[in-house]
Amino acid sequence: MENLNINEIWADLLKKLENSLGKDICEMWIKPMKIISFKGGILKIELPSEVWLKTIKDRYENNLLEALTEILNSTFSIEYSITLKEDYSQQQYQSLQEPASYQNRNPFINKLNSYFTFEGFIEGPSNRFAYKASEAVVKKMGERSNNPFVIFSAPGLGKTHLLHAIGNQILKENPFAKVLYMSGEGFVSEYIESLQKSTQDSFRKKYRSLDCLLIDDIQFVVGKERCEEEFFYTFNSLFDNRKQIVLTSDRTPNQLGLSERLSSRLLSGIVAEIKRPDLETRIAILRQKRDSNQFDITDDVLAFIAEGVQGSIRELEGCLFRLSTYCNIHGVNATISIAKEVLADILTLEREKYSISVNQIKKVVCKYFKVSIEDLNSKKKNNSIAWPRQVSMYLATELTSLSLPEIGREFNRDHSTVIHAKEKVKEEIDNNLLFAPIINDLITKVKAVDNN
């Protein structure tokens, strides 16, 4: 392993991290790094600046270690160094070389990202209950009043952050607790692999011996009958032994389509929703990210970004990093005019998403299918009315910021009808080559309609 080609390590590392972190993160933070050598069990990595060192150690070190462990298949430590500049003294350079020793840590691989903590989470009206409930879970882990704990929201609003924060705080208070973070897709993949390799006993032992199980996006388990059943028995084992279970989802438990017995189990604990953050919370989030990363961006620019990006905290942070990177590369100060230019594509999409109404969609769809708005809102179920209604619901999920229940109310229906409509239209788009252009044409026309 000592003779493994450094370029091969680097290529494999990038591939794995692109899958786990995304290409944008890798482009911004991982690719500027450089693997210098791997000798004597020490992997030496060079970074371009102190900002990179702090970001990698605070945010992505766990991901880096996990990927490298899979690639190197050996025990190792990491030495970081900063690219030497002429005005760096030898003492300054040596102080930045911090070997990362992992010999005395909890040997259980928890898959947690140490960057996500309670201290780093901005509390606001939209997430206060979920935040307080998360803190309570740590204080009274496994107690019936807090177990299970389910957090649901639209993507990018912070539920994954809270999930990791719970795990990190548990380990901070009990470093040898068996805590495992796993995505819903990861759980499914691992279970399928255990079936293929006939290692179900090992799989069950791993999951049922935990002190705390954290599963992100549990909706990916839905519809996979054997996997859902295995999760049910894992859930029961942990619950009966007073072990903590925390799940996140994009819907409430009763909207997921889980089996009745599992759905009732999830609803028996705490269920907390995270809603879209208000303007003040969005500004506070950007200020924290700016300060922690030492970005030279003024409050008026942050307010401009916060006003323009309303839906997703992930997109909000992405805008901040994109603007900072642009300004660093071009050697300019961040201003509102520069932000408008750099973030034009995102801000345009946000404006469209938050300006389009269901009424616009209904007008266009009714004209195309030659039906009336009254028909769409009626209880009529004949296909000549039901199909345009389903297309309208699908477009509403794609073009507006409304939740599924809110869209349902626009058509005098419930959220389950909207879910069914979206699935039906997506299936038609996938299976009918002539239908996708129709949808694209309807979208173009919707955006051109006056919102009144």
Side-chain angles (χ1 to χ4, degrees), residues 254-318:
N254 57 335
Q255 294 173 354
L256 284 171
L258 292 163
S259 64
E260 186 177 348
R261 61 180 183 175
L262 183 52
S263 180
S264 64
R265 284 283 195 177
L266 300 189
L267 289 167
S268 68
I270 297 177
V271 178
E273 179 183 10
I274 299 178
K275 299 177 182 178
R276 290 193 302 271
D278 58 20
L279 177 61
E280 290 74 16
T281 304
R282 297 198 300 274
I283 292 173
I285 290 169
L286 288 174
R287 281 177 177 167
Q288 187 216 48
K289 298 299 176 185
R290 174 197 63 188
D291 295 344
S292 64
N293 289 281
Q294 300 178 337
F295 292 154
D296 186 17
I297 300 178
T298 56
D299 283 347
D300 62 328
V301 177
L302 297 185
F304 170 76
I305 297 172
E307 288 172 354
V309 181
Q310 302 177 36
S312 167
I313 293 173
R314 193 176 296 136
E315 289 181 3
L316 198 65
E317 294 175 354

Side-chain angles (χ1 to χ4, degrees), residues 349-389:
L349 288 173
E350 285 282 311
R351 281 195 297 272
E352 289 177 349
K353 188 173 183 180
Y354 285 89
S355 64
I356 292 174
S357 69
V358 175
N359 189 51
Q360 286 174 262
I361 294 169
K362 287 179 178 179
K363 284 182 180 180
V364 171
V365 172
C366 285
K367 183 176 181 180
Y368 180 83
F369 287 100
K370 296 180 173 57
V371 296
S372 68
I373 290 180
E374 289 73 21
D375 285 333
L376 293 188
N377 297 336
S378 72
K379 299 295 183 181
K380 296 177 182 179
K381 296 183 178 179
N382 49 305
N383 194 55
S384 62
I385 302 299
W387 180 240
R389 183 186 297 127

Side-chain angles (χ1 to χ4, degrees), residues 21 34 58 78 108 140 158 162 179 238 266 344 372 401 424:
L21 297 174
K34 181 180 180 182
D58 289 351
I78 296 178
F108 190 82
K140 298 182 178 180
L162 282 179
V179 178
L238 293 172
L266 300 189
S372 68
S401 62
K424 289 284 291 182

Side-chain angles (χ1 to χ4, degrees), residues 116-128:
F116 295 122
T117 63
F118 285 129
E119 293 79 9
F121 189 87
I122 299 298
E123 179 189 349
S126 61
N127 58 37
R128 182 163 291 125

Side-chain angles (χ1 to χ4, degrees), residues 116-154:
F116 295 122
T117 63
F118 285 129
E119 293 79 9
F121 189 87
I122 299 298
E123 179 189 349
S126 61
N127 58 37
R128 182 163 291 125
F129 177 60
Y131 178 77
K132 295 298 184 184
S134 297
E135 288 186 316
V137 161
V138 177
K139 293 175 183 176
K140 298 182 178 180
M141 195 171 72
E143 287 197 11
R144 179 66 188 84
S145 59
N146 298 318
N147 205 18
F149 177 38
V150 181
I151 309 171
F152 74 96
S153 76

